[in-house]
Amino acid sequence: MKYEKSIQDFIVEYSGADTNQLRLKNIQADFDVSWAILQIEARKKLRTKLPTWISHIDVVFPSILSTEQCSSELTAQYKQRLIQGRDLLDLTGGLGVDSFYFAQKAGQVVYVERFGEYCRAAEHNFKELGNHNISVVQDDCTHFLKNNNHKFDTIYLDPARRGTGNKRLFALDECEPNIIELMPLLSRYGKRLVVKVSPMADLSALIAQLPRVTEVHIVSVKNECKELLLVMDNTLPEKDKGIDTRAYCVQIDSAENISIFPFLPIEEKQLPHPAACEAIEQFLYEPNASILKAGAYKTVAVKYSIDKLHINSHLYTSKYYISHFPGRIFEVVECVPFNAKNIKYIGGKYPRLNLSTRNFPLTTVELQKRLKNKDGGDFYLFGTTLSNNDKILIIGKKPVNA
């Protein structure tokens, strides 16, 4: 098959095609067909992640891996809030999404990336997107810092968290670059450091490991924890680690809808465990993913005067409706003990349910098999454990005034 149109026409025409099937067609054209198919595949993956970039047909993507590792527009825009000063250094440039959004706030951004194909794509894309205050440098970040003589207002790093055999890495000293080893150079040349780490990393361990961590930002998009960001201020003397660190639990639903729950991790540790509820009240509360990741279980109970079901359940209840609660709110319809009789009763009464389990002997999949119902509908079921260790099924629905 000979394709006579341009590469842009090809990408648009086959945007919805199965790329595996497309590769088998042996299409001949005056451009690199394999590259064009890669662009189609990348654009599919980035449709919701980078809608602005996708709207520009001439923006290019150097690899599928780059699309998987890059920030989304929503998280990159949030990170603009964390940078200070005029000069910014992005030491792990990648696809360039973070650099692009940093450049909208900073006066000058230096993008550093060791892979030439990524640098060429980034330079091309920045021009296509109308950005002219980013300097692209192909270099290894450690080599760049060792040969640098300029002090930056902010340095940003997003270390690679994949090891041999695509194994996920969480420890800072296992990632590339090794932040722990690089810290003396980072402290020398950056007044402020912003480091993106794995959302699976242990928050308290990170604060203990690194000097001058003044802020931690736990960022969730549509209630899925996406990024863990550490902010270090190198203009401050190194004090007791974590004593002044403030955490921000961020929930992003859209660029215009962002909620932030701040707390002090050291105060969370010092708070007594909240009293367990004596009964399930009219409303059930589930904190958003960033609060759960941050471990602000006691702080959220104190701030909103809500009772916890169990020390390990991380569900709360109150007789009052708290419209500004940072998480999901349900009006309780009924509660029943977890047993064979009630499994049959619930399964028959509610053919469709949105299931969740917290501190419960069955997984969501296992519970659904027992209930024999389908996903979805207007009702929500939580399988959980009360403070007396009784297992319970709670049926709820979204409040009418929500």
Side-chain angles (χ1 to χ4, degrees):
M1 171 185 171
K2 176 69 174 176
Y3 192 84
E4 303 289 350
K5 300 177 186 176
S6 70
I7 186 172
Q8 291 87 352
D9 291 326
F10 182 88
I11 292 170
V12 172
E13 186 173 335
Y14 290 101
S15 60
D18 182 320
T19 50
N20 291 323
Q21 292 295 320
L22 207 53
R23 287 188 178 95
L24 297 174
K25 289 187 176 182
N26 194 28
I27 299 169
Q28 304 298 312
D30 295 330
F31 51 82
D32 186 338
V33 175
S34 295
W35 171 260
I37 294 174
L38 169 65
Q39 300 311 300
I40 294 170
E41 202 168 5
R43 286 170 173 274
K44 283 183 177 181
K45 288 182 175 291
L46 295 173
R47 195 167 290 147
T48 57
K49 197 175 183 181
L50 291 179
T52 301
W53 285 43
I54 294 302
S55 67
H56 293 258
I57 192 61
D58 289 321
V59 164
V60 299
F61 305 98
S63 70
I64 293 300
L65 183 62
S66 70
T67 68
E68 295 170 349
Q69 293 181 335
C70 74
S71 298
S72 67
E73 287 183 25
L74 290 175
T75 57
Q77 287 169 339
Y78 178 78
K79 276 176 277 193
Q80 286 178 339
R81 304 177 180 213
L82 308 186
I83 68 172
Q84 291 182 358
R86 174 177 173 77
D87 294 334
L88 184 138
L89 172 62
D90 183 349
L91 276 173
T92 46
L95 191 57
V97 177
D98 289 314
S99 286
F100 174 76
Y101 285 100
F102 289 147
Q104 294 178 358
K105 181 178 178 181
Q108 180 65 38
V109 172
V110 176
Y111 158 109
V112 176
E113 171 58 52
R114 60 180 172 176
F115 295 120
E117 59 187 313
Y118 281 43
C119 292
R120 289 187 290 274
E123 200 158 29
H124 168 84
N125 290 340
F126 296 150
K127 290 178 182 176
E128 288 293 331
L129 294 165
N131 185 282
H132 303 288
N133 63 329
I134 304 176
S135 301
V136 174
V137 177
Q138 183 181 349
D139 200 353
D140 171 80
C141 60
T142 304
H143 181 267
F144 177 89
L145 281 178
K146 286 181 177 178
N147 292 275
N148 170 65
N149 58 8
H150 180 76
K151 187 140 188 169
F152 293 88
D153 295 308
T154 303
I155 297 178
Y156 174 74
L157 291 98
D158 177 8
R161 295 179 291 278
R162 295 282 184 174
T164 306
N166 209 29
K167 179 185 175 184
R168 287 178 181 266
L169 303 174
F170 307 120
L172 288 178
D173 56 0
E174 293 180 345
C175 297
E176 175 63 36
N178 183 329
I179 299 293
I180 306 300
E181 289 183 354
L182 209 56
M183 192 54 66
L185 286 172
L186 293 170
S187 300
R188 186 186 308 165
Y189 295 117
K191 296 177 184 176
R192 183 179 179 87
L193 305 180
V194 180
V195 180
K196 177 180 171 182
V197 298
S198 168
M200 302 300 292
D202 181 81
L203 189 57
S204 57
L206 292 171
I207 294 173
Q209 229 177 342
L210 293 168
R212 307 179 189 88
V213 177
T214 55
E215 301 172 16
V216 178
H217 297 254
I218 307 95
V219 183
S220 294
V221 177
K222 295 180 171 59
N223 210 30
E224 183 180 351
C225 196
K226 292 291 187 182
E227 297 191 2
L228 191 54
L229 303 163
L230 309 176
V231 178
M232 286 160 271
D233 188 342
N234 289 325
T235 65
L236 298 174
E238 186 173 350
K239 297 187 289 185
D240 292 339
K241 292 180 179 180
I243 200 163
D244 295 323
T245 303
R246 180 167 288 274
Y248 298 87
C249 303
V250 182
Q251 169 62 23
I252 304 175
D253 290 312
S254 67
E256 297 77 32
N257 187 4
I258 300 175
S259 63
I260 301 175
F261 179 83
F263 78 103
L264 290 170
I266 196 165
E267 287 186 0
E268 168 71 23
K269 288 182 180 179
Q270 295 167 350
L271 283 171
H273 287 288
C277 67
E278 296 180 0
I280 306 296
E281 301 286 359
Q282 184 177 354
F283 295 99
L284 186 74
Y285 294 89
E286 180 189 42
N288 66 43
S290 57
I291 292 175
L292 295 175
K293 168 60 190 174
Y297 311 127
K298 293 180 281 187
T299 305
V300 77
V302 170
K303 182 168 183 178
Y304 294 99
S305 300
I306 50 181
D307 296 327
K308 203 171 188 187
L309 273 59
H310 183 284
I311 191 171
N312 296 321
S313 292
H314 311 319
L315 291 168
Y316 303 79
T317 190
S318 171
K319 64 177 68 174
Y320 304 107
Y321 174 66
I322 306 166
S323 62
H324 56 287
F325 179 79
R328 298 198 296 171
I329 309 170
F330 302 93
E331 187 171 2
V332 176
V333 176
E334 61 178 315
C335 303
V336 297
F338 172 61
N339 56 42
K341 179 182 176 182
N342 285 328
I343 282 284
K344 185 176 181 180
Y345 161 70
I346 294 293
K349 185 174 180 180
Y350 302 95
R352 299 183 72 88
L353 280 171
N354 302 281
L355 298 182
S356 293
T357 57
R358 286 198 177 278
N359 190 24
F360 196 68
L362 301 181
T363 66
T364 301
V365 173
E366 291 168 339
L367 181 58
Q368 187 173 39
K369 285 181 180 178
R370 296 275 294 274
L371 290 166
K372 298 178 181 177
N373 60 11
K374 294 182 179 180
D375 285 328
D378 297 326
F379 293 96
Y380 296 77
L381 182 148
F382 285 87
T384 191
T385 301
L386 298 178
S387 59
N388 60 4
N389 289 321
D390 284 350
K391 308 299 182 282
I392 190 171
L393 302 177
I394 306 172
I395 307 295
K397 62 180 181 179
K398 293 291 182 69
V400 176
N401 53 348

